[in-house]
Amino acid sequence: MVALIGRKRAPGALEAEIMQVLWDRAEPISAREVQEALTGPEPATTTVLTVLDRLHKKGLVRRCGEGPRKVRFTATQSGEEQASTTMLSALGGATDREAVLLKFAGNLQPDDVDVLRRALEANTRQRG
């Protein structure tokens, strides 16, 4: 879903949507293919290229190929890996890690708690 403000995307929404397009593709794709896969108001090709360049500088996107018409783009991590990295980064920046973890755990759905519990048990078995 595209977050729109009037006829414009919300701040950060185009980056998020471009990342989703890249995560959904198994192979690297061109900026034009990224542009065609976007929903909502179609941004200019130069806008898509600018966002891809910013994502590349952040280390989220890798460029493949040579020459202006042969460059293709792919995500450096899966969506799941990126979400995990974001969560760990937020935890790393917290002054009270325990409070953050408790708040996070308190907001989980029961099915998520079960998944997390199984993962923690597996982690404990691997360490032990």
Side-chain angles (χ1 to χ4, degrees):
M1 171 161 281
V2 178
L4 296 176
I5 300 173
R7 291 281 306 147
K8 293 185 176 186
R9 285 176 173 82
L14 184 56
E15 274 193 11
E17 192 173 350
I18 287 174
M19 288 305 301
Q20 190 61 55
V21 167
L22 295 175
W23 289 325
D24 289 346
R25 304 296 171 99
E27 300 292 325
I29 60 174
S30 69
R32 182 71 185 144
E33 290 170 309
V34 170
Q35 182 183 30
E36 290 170 355
L38 297 172
T39 59
E42 185 173 301
T45 303
T46 54
T47 301
V48 172
L49 284 166
T50 297
V51 173
L52 286 164
D53 184 57
R54 288 181 183 153
L55 291 168
H56 178 260
K57 289 177 180 172
K58 292 179 181 180
L60 301 174
V61 169
R62 180 174 41 253
R63 290 185 184 132
C64 310
E66 297 294 325
R69 301 226 183 259
K70 295 183 181 179
V71 175
R72 300 177 97 51
F73 301 88
T74 188
T76 58
Q77 296 181 319
S78 70
E80 294 79 13
E81 290 168 326
Q82 181 59 40
S84 175
T85 298
T86 300
M87 292 166 70
L88 288 171
S89 177
L91 183 60
T95 55
D96 186 345
R97 291 173 64 98
E98 183 177 351
V100 172
L101 286 169
L102 291 171
K103 183 68 175 168
F104 176 74
N107 287 319
L108 292 174
Q109 297 296 316
D111 289 347
D112 295 332
V113 171
D114 292 339
V115 169
L116 189 56
R117 183 176 288 116
R118 288 192 305 272
L120 291 170
E121 289 168 356
N123 184 303
T124 300
R125 282 192 302 272
Q126 286 177 346
R127 290 181 180 189

